Amino acid sequence: MTRGTAARGRRQRPANARAAADGMKLHRRVLRLDGRDHTVIGLRPGTAARFSTNLFHGTWHVLSDGHGARLLGRLLWGLAYQARPGTLIVIDRPFLTSTPFDADPADPIVLVPGWATPFGPDAAGDLKARLPLASAPDGTVRWRTHGLDRALDDIRAWFEADSPYWSPDRGGVERLRGLIVVRPQDRVTARTWAVLSGRMHAPRRHSRHAYLGPWNHGHTGEIQIFPDFRRKVSLARLARAQVLEGLRLEETQTPGLTLDALWAMDGALSGTDPRELPAGRRNELLGELRRVKGRLVRRGRRR
């Protein structure tokens, strides 16, 4: 990481917004967390990447597309060479979006070098209370990622030279005070996660994933990308809005969402002809509809 000059809130040029390259500019702030100063690195306005998070089968997922995965790889690779205590990276609004499954909101993401930055519940709580970071940054940095392009060009040679696959994965992902904390515990793990993320390119119809953390009846974290991530997010938002509106209309005895519309929305999300949805999937959707309605009723009782 190379220290830059004081920032003036300028947005990136359009050509730079899509860039995830060596030397990209990031914002730097100094925040007091848990009684100690921390250097908090963040994305600059105009950055095109978007991320989401969710918990599935006990694993915390960081969700994006191929561009987001490459950007995440850059951040992790640069973090691997971070020696300054108290440094961490935050991905928060406006770079977060809802999930592409059910349009649930995402949690802020924090990348923490476990060998250099202690980050416990008190620090996480202090940081969460400051988000989103609305104050002007203290400056910018050039995020240097020397060696990552060479590793991605010949991944096999890099793995054989650095032998990270033969080193234990020392890291994990957890939710801490409302933050998704991605924490490699050593530099080799950070570089390995960077390569696993940076190498992912989603094909036209399928997702790709990379596990984070050692296996212990499951992994604590996973990066998952989709080729049409933003389209899935938009469709999920539309489906959620229509389902909730249908439930509201149902409660007022007004004709609302039809089953045919529900099958059509699920087919649009999965790329399946609604007429070909299996009976089991239709039963799952009906069950989820009942659960959503139950949650809304319980929320209404608490108000």
Side-chain angles (χ1 to χ4, degrees), residues 146-165:
H146 300 303
L148 178 57
D149 291 323
R150 184 168 61 254
L152 295 175
D153 286 342
D154 194 342
I155 294 173
R156 182 185 298 274
W158 180 78
F159 277 132
E160 291 176 351
D162 220 15
S163 300
Y165 268 141

Side-chain angles (χ1 to χ4, degrees), residues 217-270:
H217 303 290
H219 297 273
T220 59
E222 180 178 327
I223 302 168
Q224 186 175 19
I225 65 171
F226 302 87
D228 51 351
F229 175 71
R230 298 192 184 217
R231 174 177 172 272
K232 286 182 178 293
V233 168
S234 297
L235 289 173
R237 287 175 175 172
L238 175 62
R240 186 185 185 100
Q242 291 181 336
V243 168
L244 294 178
E245 178 65 12
L247 290 172
R248 187 188 68 79
L249 293 174
E250 179 182 315
E251 290 174 353
T252 58
Q253 303 301 313
T254 303
L257 187 69
T258 67
L259 291 181
D260 286 341
L262 183 61
W263 312 148
M265 286 186 288
D266 187 74
L269 290 170
S270 62

Side-chain angles (χ1 to χ4, degrees), residues 21 29 31 34 57 80 128 130 159 161 178 226 241 246 296 300:
R29 291 177 173 87
L31 301 181
D34 192 19
H57 287 176
K128 180 64 184 297
R130 304 284 293 272
F159 277 132
F226 302 87
L296 289 177

